[in-house]
Amino acid sequence: MSSNRKVLMLPGDGIGPEVMSQTKLVINWFDKNKEVGFDVEEDLIGGASFDKYKTPITDNVLEKSLNADAVLFGAVGGPDYDKLPFKDKPERSLLKLRKELGLFANLRPAIVFDALSDASTLKTDIVKGLDMMILRELTGGIYFGEPRGIEELGDGKKRGINTEVYTTDEIRRVGEVGFELATKRKGIVHSVEKSNVMESGLLWREEIQKLYEEKYHHMQLHHMFADNCAMQLVRDPHQFDVIVTTNLFGDLLSDISAQLTGSLGMLPSASLGENNIDGIRKSLYEPVHGSAPDITGQGKANPIAMILSFAMMLKYSLDRNQDAELVEKAVDLVLQEGFRTEDIMQPGKKLVSTEKMGIEICNRLDRLI
Ligand code: IPM
Ligand code: MG
């Protein structure tokens, strides 16, 4: 067996541990059947970490994340933690990991599987065959800009402040990732901002345009305002291939694109840092769905988004495209054969639990090799 890769699993809260269990089955399958091996370690994050250590992320977990080849992240948060002070909230752990690992490029594919093309709330002919990618800048913009905070104004009144900041370097490095992704796809990039009202948006547009003229003029670049993009996504999503956008707009637009596909339970994501000298980059993979406290512990969660996040890890961290495709094919087969968790259930299909879905996907992997 070739040298093992270090994977840190952080299942987190809510349905995170349930979907992670099924992903472990898939990882074990690869351990057994393929030459790539994983050394998997597991630790606490989010509310689960707070319960034990009174912090959503310990220094130890941060250290382990920095040393791992890849982090697999479940979900964080839940009603038990809503009243905690801002710095202790489970979500802070995710934001800290993004920042400390330098994960500036967040890839959120929105793919409509053929078997599920009528699962969307949009008309089938609008979404059928959709395959697009939202590339969200993840370590800058209003999520991290200074100044920030809540100030006292006297008389019991206050002022809440956040600041949208982007520099040339921050815009160019995510822009590069966008153009490079599009090179392997349809070659169309939409750069999305609000340069009509925001200076940071104007700089965004200018830098992306420059990058395009310098290196990528053989491709198609369109500039679009974020509000128009939201509308275009539900009007005619097929016009998009890669959307590259800021942290906040990416947060909003990726929720819209998730809904186009009919189930949040199907969507994986990858967050990537800069390539270091060995060509290795820090990375974190997580399903787009959250901790879903309403269905936690009932065997209803769909493990596919988490399993497809693992497939993205194979592709983007381990350079194993064929293995990633194998996982995607196994998922496709399971759907074609009518297996459905509750979130994607349709008349006449077979309703299965989280666990059963994981097992069926492994069975299809067996069949495919
Ligand atoms: C996301 C989430 C996070 C974000 C939250 C949980 C901090 O909505 O990953 O899209 O706002 O980035
Ligand atoms: Mg979000």
Side-chain angles (χ1 to χ4, degrees):
M1 190 167 284
S2 63
S3 71
N4 281 3
R5 302 305 186 110
K6 265 199 277 178
V7 177
L8 180 65
M9 262 184 191
L10 301 172
D13 308 323
I15 60 170
E18 296 165 53
V19 296
M20 193 67 88
S21 294
Q22 302 319 306
T23 309
K24 277 186 213 163
L25 287 187
V26 176
I27 293 183
N28 290 342
W29 185 92
F30 272 89
D31 246 344
K32 221 189 297 159
N33 296 288
K34 291 280 184 165
E35 72 275 28
V36 81
F38 303 96
D39 285 333
V40 182
E41 241 198 285
E42 190 171 327
D43 220 312
L44 299 174
I45 194 82
S49 168
F50 185 83
D51 288 342
K52 187 154 180 203
Y53 300 113
K54 296 286 162 269
T55 172
I57 176 166
T58 60
D59 291 345
N60 182 29
V61 167
L62 183 58
E63 184 73 30
K64 282 187 191 171
S65 308
L66 285 161
N67 289 324
D69 287 315
V71 177
L72 272 180
F73 190 99
V76 291
D80 293 353
Y81 310 105
D82 283 350
K83 298 228 160 60
L84 286 176
F86 199 64
K87 69 170 183 28
D88 293 333
K89 285 194 187 296
E91 291 79 4
R92 301 312 302 169
S93 63
L94 185 54
L95 293 166
K96 188 160 186 177
L97 281 173
R98 288 174 181 170
K99 193 69 182 174
E100 298 284 327
L101 271 62
L103 307 173
F104 67 93
N106 180 218
L107 283 58
R108 299 190 166 189
I111 293 168
V112 174
F113 286 83
D114 279 344
L116 295 180
S117 50
D118 51 359
S120 173
T121 47
L122 272 82
K123 292 188 186 120
T124 308
D125 57 328
I126 302 276
V127 296
K128 199 172 183 356
L130 183 70
D131 178 357
M132 57 169 280
M133 174 83 86
I134 296 212
L135 172 62
R136 169 186 177 192
E137 198 292 328
L138 204 60
T139 51
I142 204 161
Y143 271 58
F144 295 98
E146 299 282 347
R148 66 183 300 164
I150 299 179
E151 291 176 356
E152 296 290 340
L153 293 177
D155 294 342
K157 297 194 178 139
K158 298 177 186 176
R159 174 164 51 204
I161 306 164
N162 291 93
T163 310
E164 172 90 352
V165 188
Y166 273 113
T167 62
T168 296
D169 289 349
E170 285 175 312
I171 299 166
R172 282 182 69 99
R173 68 178 180 178
V174 75
E176 294 252 6
V177 176
F179 285 115
E180 292 299 330
L181 281 171
T183 305
K184 296 187 199 120
R185 302 171 51 99
K186 293 181 208 129
I188 309 168
V189 173
H190 282 78
S191 168
V192 173
E193 29 62 17
K194 275 199 57 90
S195 54
N196 50 346
V197 285
M198 295 161 72
E199 283 80 357
S200 58
L202 187 58
L203 183 69
W204 182 282
R205 178 177 287 225
E206 288 171 0
E207 295 294 356
I208 298 283
Q209 179 66 30
K210 264 196 235 159
L211 185 60
Y212 164 75
E213 284 164 16
E214 283 166 28
K215 286 174 73 177
Y216 298 104
H217 49 267
H218 54 286
M219 303 178 70
Q220 267 189 54
L221 170 67
H222 304 275
H223 298 283
M224 198 178 255
F225 297 141
D227 50 348
N228 183 29
C229 182
M231 186 269 278
Q232 295 296 339
L233 272 171
V234 290
R235 194 187 73 84
D236 174 22
H238 282 282
Q239 68 187 286
F240 297 108
D241 180 24
V242 174
I243 291 178
V244 55
T245 189
T246 64
N247 204 341
L248 182 61
F249 293 147
D251 183 41
L252 306 180
L253 297 173
S254 62
D255 265 27
I256 300 180
S257 65
Q259 181 58 24
L260 297 176
T261 69
S263 173
L264 217 51
M266 299 290 300
L267 295 182
S269 79
S271 303
L272 308 176
E274 237 143 346
N275 269 330
N276 69 14
I277 27 176
D278 313 322
I280 296 173
R281 57 195 341 177
K282 295 266 169 281
S283 57
L284 180 146
Y285 299 87
E286 60 175 319
V288 171
H289 63 69
S291 58
D294 53 322
I295 57 162
T296 298
Q298 300 167 36
K300 289 184 182 169
N302 186 346
I304 291 179
M306 187 80 243
I307 290 171
L308 290 177
S309 299
F310 168 68
M312 287 188 93
M313 179 184 118
L314 290 169
K315 185 165 176 182
Y316 293 103
S317 286
L318 308 183
D319 212 14
R320 300 185 72 94
N321 279 342
Q322 284 181 351
D323 286 338
E325 276 164 25
L326 200 63
V327 177
E328 287 161 7
K329 267 195 213 128
V331 167
D332 210 21
L333 273 180
V334 160
L335 293 173
Q336 276 176 36
E337 289 172 32
F339 295 94
R340 300 282 188 276
T341 43
E342 200 180 74
D343 56 316
I344 50 174
M345 185 56 190
Q346 293 158 310
K349 304 295 178 193
K350 291 168 247 181
L351 181 65
V352 295
S353 65
T354 311
E355 206 175 318
K356 176 84 172 147
M357 185 59 105
I359 292 168
E360 291 298 339
I361 289 171
C362 288
N363 289 343
R364 296 309 170 285
L365 284 171
D366 280 337
R367 223 196 266 166
L368 283 166
I369 54 162

